[in-house]
Amino acid sequence: MSAGPEVTDEEWETLERAAREVREHAHAPYSGYRVGAALLDAHGGVHRGCNVENASYGLCLCAERGAVARAVAEGARRFRALVVVTGGARAAAPCGMCRQVLAEMPPSFPIRCVSLDGDRFDTSVSELLPHAFDAGYLDE
Ligand code: THU
């Protein structure tokens, strides 16, 4: 099951451009590791997020969760794709906390992870977090 038609090359390119751009806005003075994320919703809207760090380190917000928060605030609940752009040699997948947040709004969707150095791979929410804890478990 998916939230729409297969993502086109043009849509992937739009998302990657958006993620690269928003990464420039990252607030990452502690790690120096900037991340940009762009989510495509079922209506074609693009929602962007960057990591926002804090002097109280545990409060750091990841780019992916920032993008989800922005999307939900705009009324988007169903997603077709996510692109995450990071610095460094290796493309990076969303962290564990972000995986759980991305799994909150099924169905699963494809995720493209891209590094500035050109490394990249495709995965998906369900591949990154099989057997996710979801709302169904709360129905006792
Ligand atoms: N970060 C993200 O934005 N997304 C991830 O999935 C992994 C980590 C950020 C958090 C922190 O600001 C920096 O990268 C280093 O961990």
Side-chain angles (χ1 to χ4, degrees), residues 16 20 85-92 112-121:
E16 186 171 330
R20 284 176 186 273
V85 173
T86 52
R90 283 191 305 145
R112 178 162 292 176
C113 305
V114 178
S115 89
L116 290 186
D117 287 358
D119 185 38
R120 57 180 59 224
F121 62 89

Side-chain angles (χ1 to χ4, degrees), residues 24-138:
E24 298 294 321
H25 299 160
H27 176 67
Y30 307 106
S31 71
Y33 187 72
R34 295 188 291 164
V35 185
L39 257 182
L40 178 66
D41 73 32
H43 302 287
V46 175
H47 308 275
R48 313 191 311 168
C50 59
N51 54 331
V52 181
E53 298 186 346
N54 192 279
S56 179
Y57 295 169
L59 302 184
C60 290
L61 176 70
C62 291
E64 297 90 328
R65 278 177 290 135
V68 170
R70 286 189 71 174
V72 171
E74 297 294 332
R77 292 277 171 130
R78 290 169 71 81
F79 304 117
R80 288 177 53 219
L82 170 69
V83 171
V84 181
V85 173
T86 52
R90 283 191 305 145
C95 78
M97 193 183 277
C98 289
R99 293 177 194 197
Q100 180 66 28
V101 170
L102 293 167
E104 174 65 17
M105 283 158 199
S108 174
F109 49 87
I111 299 174
R112 178 162 292 176
C113 305
V114 178
S115 89
L116 290 186
D117 287 358
D119 185 38
R120 57 180 59 224
F121 62 89
D122 289 349
T123 182
S124 67
V125 177
S126 57
E127 185 175 63
L128 290 176
L129 191 63
H131 309 292
F133 182 83
D134 63 26
Y137 290 105
L138 301 176

